[in-house]
Amino acid sequence: MEDQDDNDQIEKEVKEALQMDDRASAAAKIQQYLERDKNVSLNIAVTGESGSGKSTFVNAIRGVHVDDKGAAPTGCVETTMEATPYLHPNYPNVTVWDLPGIGTMKFPADKYLEKVDFEKFDFFIIISADRFTEYDVMLVKEIQRMKKKFYFVRSKIDDNIRNEKRKKAFDKEKTLTKIRDKCIKGLQEQGFESPEAQVFLVSSFDLHLYDFPLLEDTLERELPEHKRDVFMLAMPNSSLEMISKKKKAFQAKIKHFATLSASSVSELAEDAQRVLSKALSLNDAE
């Protein structure tokens, strides 16, 4: 409701400027509306056991390579010693947090929740490279207690597929189903049963494959309305569908204001094209 009130106020101010034939002010107001998402913060927590591929996933959803400046360090041993924020390279209001692996000597399970400030995160992505454990379930129960969203991600699917391809009877879909079922069974064995629980199979090196597009759709659908556009803009252009969604989101904004007055169309089109070009070019997937 608050978002709609803000929209109505900006629209009112644009109309008033146009009635005064002050096209510069109208264009400025429209630009303010287009760039308003920059002021909305989004904090994404990525957690899981050490060695699960957390840091690689953090880099992937920010569109950053491991050797880029500002990338989260990766390795075969636990490299995250504290909750570490990584700003999105193009949208600094979006922060992806690489949380320490639970169950290590430095972060035993019974002390983990004391060391990580869970309240500040918008949602949690729980990573596993094999099966989810009692520690993961413990975290989920705490997240549920805070009434926040969480998502299970089974990582390193590319490794599994590569290994299974060596078998004569390899079937990609059957392999993926087997991995997903194993993860769900593991959660059930740890005492976690929920009809809403879903495990997304992901390769951080090939986000367009497997379940990452489905994860994006789910997050977009379940995020509060005022954070959806922010999330969409920050996600890498991992598929034509995501690029199309970004374009449609901008076109909806443009259409809304372009109907106010023909005199604003030129300024609006110019501003919109600049913002849209930035969103679609600076964050391209390789």
Side-chain angles (χ1 to χ4, degrees):
M1 186 66 180
E2 183 177 345
D3 289 339
Q4 186 58 49
D5 290 342
D6 290 343
N7 291 345
D8 292 343
Q9 179 60 32
I10 294 175
E11 180 174 329
K12 178 182 176 183
E13 292 173 358
V14 170
K15 286 182 177 179
E16 290 175 350
L18 292 174
Q19 288 170 359
M20 299 293 292
D21 199 27
D22 188 353
R23 292 189 296 173
S25 293
K29 289 294 180 183
I30 292 169
Q31 182 68 17
Q32 175 187 340
Y33 171 78
L34 291 173
E35 297 189 351
R36 190 179 56 173
D37 291 338
K38 293 180 180 179
N39 299 319
V40 177
S41 65
L42 183 65
N43 287 281
I44 303 170
V46 180
T47 185
E49 288 190 310
S50 61
S52 61
K54 293 184 291 94
S55 299
T56 302
F57 185 82
V58 166
N59 291 331
I61 62 174
R62 295 164 59 232
V64 172
H65 294 285
V66 67
D67 53 353
D68 287 345
K69 183 179 179 181
T74 61
C76 58
V77 296
E78 179 60 39
T79 56
T80 307
M81 295 294 102
E82 60 183 9
T84 307
Y86 291 95
L87 299 182
H88 192 284
N90 302 326
Y91 301 94
N93 54 320
V94 176
T95 306
V96 184
W97 293 78
D98 190 355
L99 303 189
I102 187 172
T104 63
M105 290 294 290
K106 290 184 178 292
F107 294 93
D110 59 345
K111 299 294 183 182
Y112 189 83
L113 297 177
E114 299 176 11
K115 293 177 177 289
V116 179
D117 181 13
F118 272 20
E119 291 291 342
K120 65 188 172 189
F121 303 118
D122 289 292
F123 61 86
F124 299 80
I125 293 177
I126 303 167
I127 305 273
S128 174
D130 183 22
R131 58 183 297 168
F132 295 96
T133 68
E134 60 181 310
Y135 300 137
D136 298 318
V137 172
M138 184 189 75
L139 287 176
V140 165
K141 289 181 178 178
E142 182 65 15
I143 295 168
Q144 286 180 312
R145 187 185 67 78
M146 295 185 297
K147 301 186 184 303
K148 294 202 173 187
K149 295 288 187 178
F150 60 90
Y151 306 90
F152 293 110
V153 167
R154 171 58 162 79
S155 63
K156 303 183 181 182
I157 295 300
D158 47 337
D159 290 343
N160 298 114
I161 294 297
R162 185 165 49 251
N163 292 335
E164 288 295 316
K165 277 184 176 180
R166 297 171 181 167
K167 299 179 181 180
K168 291 183 179 179
F170 170 71
D171 185 301
K172 178 181 174 181
E173 293 306 318
K174 287 183 178 180
T175 299
L176 295 175
T177 298
K178 182 179 178 180
I179 294 171
R180 189 180 289 106
D181 290 347
K182 178 184 175 183
C183 289
I184 293 174
K185 183 179 179 181
L187 287 167
Q188 292 171 342
E189 290 174 350
Q190 297 300 333
F192 180 78
E193 295 192 37
S194 172
E196 295 84 18
Q198 190 170 4
V199 176
F200 299 90
L201 311 186
V202 171
S203 165
S204 294
F205 298 105
D206 294 292
L207 291 180
H208 64 287
L209 300 177
Y210 315 118
D211 291 342
F212 186 74
L214 178 60
L215 175 61
E216 285 182 319
D217 289 343
T218 303
L219 288 168
E220 180 191 351
R221 183 175 64 251
E222 296 185 352
L223 275 170
E225 184 176 354
H226 67 291
K227 298 204 175 191
R228 288 174 190 166
D229 283 351
V230 177
F231 168 77
M232 231 182 349
L233 287 173
M235 286 299 98
N237 294 335
S238 56
S239 66
L240 292 176
E241 182 180 0
M242 176 52 68
I243 294 174
S244 177
K245 281 186 176 182
K246 291 182 180 182
K247 287 182 177 178
K248 287 179 180 178
F250 275 103
Q251 288 167 352
K253 294 175 183 287
I254 302 312
K255 184 177 180 181
H256 174 73
F257 280 104
T259 57
L260 295 180
S261 172
S263 63
S264 67
V265 171
S266 60
E267 292 90 345
L268 177 57
E270 182 180 348
D271 289 338
Q273 185 59 45
R274 180 175 61 79
V275 179
L276 177 58
S277 297
K278 178 180 178 182
L280 297 181
S281 62
L282 292 184
N283 198 25
D284 281 338
E286 293 296 330

